[in-house]
Amino acid sequence: MLRKNYDMVCEQIARACEKAGREKQDAKLIAVSKTKPVFMLEELYAHGCRDFGENKVQELTEKYDVLPKDIRWHMIGHLQRNKVKYIVDKVYMIHSVDSLRLAEEISKEAIKKNVTVQILVEVNVAGEESKFGLTVDETAELVEGISKLPGIAVKGLMTIAPYVENAEENRQYFRKLKQLSVDIMRKNIDNVSMSVLSMGMSGDYIVATEEGATYVRVGTGIFGERDYSQKKDNV
Ligand SMILES: *Cc1c(COP(=O)(O)O)cnc(C)c1O
């Protein structure tokens, strides 16, 4: 079932790329495996999936420890500064950087461990109260600030669009994030590339791909609904 879902999502992404005149390898799928048991990740790994997304530090490191080392782990959830040290040398990319203070902590720990951490700046394009992320107007300045820190490479932008019934309602926000990344790219800031756009989830990844997503983050569409009823406190 997982493999079938995974293949179906890949196919939809390829189709959306084609529709938008993009190369299909330009939009990649991250399997969002939060709350899901290791055996499910193993099944997808055996099927060829190498990109997994987690939103809790402890869950990410536990899975990291027991799964193959060629997996690219994407930290997609809100990250507390005191947890940064546990993941800087384990993650492929941190999608959720939303302050200079967090970036400074990532930089400090990256230098200690002698790694360069790829990060995305999280933008709250729709301006939702309940969400983390910068406003569109604040983003360029933060990118510029982070670009001066050693041990960090800014690769692009990420957004979590509102939950909507009709994915078309989110097209405006994906377009806005793409435009913002183009505007920032034009500034030619040293040490900053705007090659990555992380946007689109189960409900709206097709629209996001049409609008230029280079990563879509899909959980439910691959693994089914998440069950939080037995959630342990593992933030
Ligand atoms: C959980 C999560 C997703 C995946 O959501 P689905 O709707 O299950 O596809 C994507 N991005 C982030 C940041 C998430 O926390």
Side-chain angles (χ1 to χ4, degrees), residues 25-232:
Q25 63 270 22
D26 291 350
K28 297 193 224 44
L29 172 60
I30 296 172
V32 176
S33 47
K34 62 191 187 196
T35 78
K36 297 299 173 182
V38 164
F39 77 86
M40 287 189 177
L41 284 76
E42 284 171 334
E43 181 177 336
L44 279 185
Y45 180 89
H47 190 55
C49 176
R50 292 293 178 275
D51 290 278
F52 290 93
E54 292 285 337
N55 69 340
K56 302 266 194 280
V57 166
Q58 188 180 331
E59 190 174 344
L60 190 154
T61 57
E62 281 173 6
K63 287 173 176 170
Y64 175 92
D65 285 342
V66 299
L67 284 159
K69 290 298 171 275
D70 63 340
I71 287 177
R72 293 181 288 269
W73 292 100
H74 297 263
M75 177 61 191
I76 60 174
H78 186 63
L79 180 57
Q80 289 169 288
R81 279 180 296 141
N82 61 349
K83 303 267 171 71
V84 167
K85 56 177 175 284
Y86 302 117
I87 60 161
V88 280
D89 55 347
K90 300 189 170 70
V91 288
Y92 175 74
M93 190 173 277
I94 299 175
H95 291 231
S96 43
V97 175
D98 60 356
S99 73
L100 190 59
R101 284 173 82 204
L102 174 59
E104 283 167 347
E105 184 66 23
I106 294 170
S107 170
K108 193 182 94 193
E109 294 298 329
I111 288 165
K112 266 194 215 165
K113 298 219 163 72
N114 198 24
V115 293
T116 298
V117 183
Q118 309 193 90
I119 66 116
L120 305 178
V121 169
E122 180 172 351
V123 188
N124 184 357
V125 191
E128 287 180 285
E129 289 274 345
S130 60
K131 296 231 167 92
F132 293 104
L134 300 158
T135 67
V136 168
D137 293 338
E138 296 166 328
T139 304
E141 197 183 324
L142 181 69
V143 167
E144 210 150 344
I146 297 175
S147 72
K148 300 189 178 82
L149 300 172
I152 292 196
V154 181
K155 291 293 177 186
L157 306 176
M158 178 272 227
T159 197
I160 304 174
Y163 181 78
V164 289
E165 290 291 327
N166 177 2
E168 283 299 331
E169 290 172 38
N170 281 338
R171 188 179 293 276
Q172 54 177 324
Y173 302 123
F174 299 139
R175 228 171 244 182
K176 218 165 168 180
L177 193 73
K178 170 74 185 180
Q179 186 57 50
L180 180 60
S181 84
V182 169
D183 291 345
I184 294 174
M185 190 156 57
R186 291 213 178 103
K187 292 176 187 279
N188 274 320
I189 306 166
D190 269 357
N191 191 32
V192 170
S193 119
M194 281 285 136
S195 56
V196 176
L197 271 187
S198 170
M199 58 189 195
M201 303 172 31
S202 292
D204 54 19
Y205 71 90
I206 294 174
V207 173
T209 304
E210 289 170 2
E211 295 301 329
T214 67
Y215 279 125
V216 297
R217 311 176 306 265
V218 176
T220 313
I222 297 172
F223 294 97
E225 295 292 333
R226 283 176 293 274
D227 178 8
Y228 289 103
S229 62
Q230 300 177 55
K231 184 168 169 272
K232 37 181 190 169

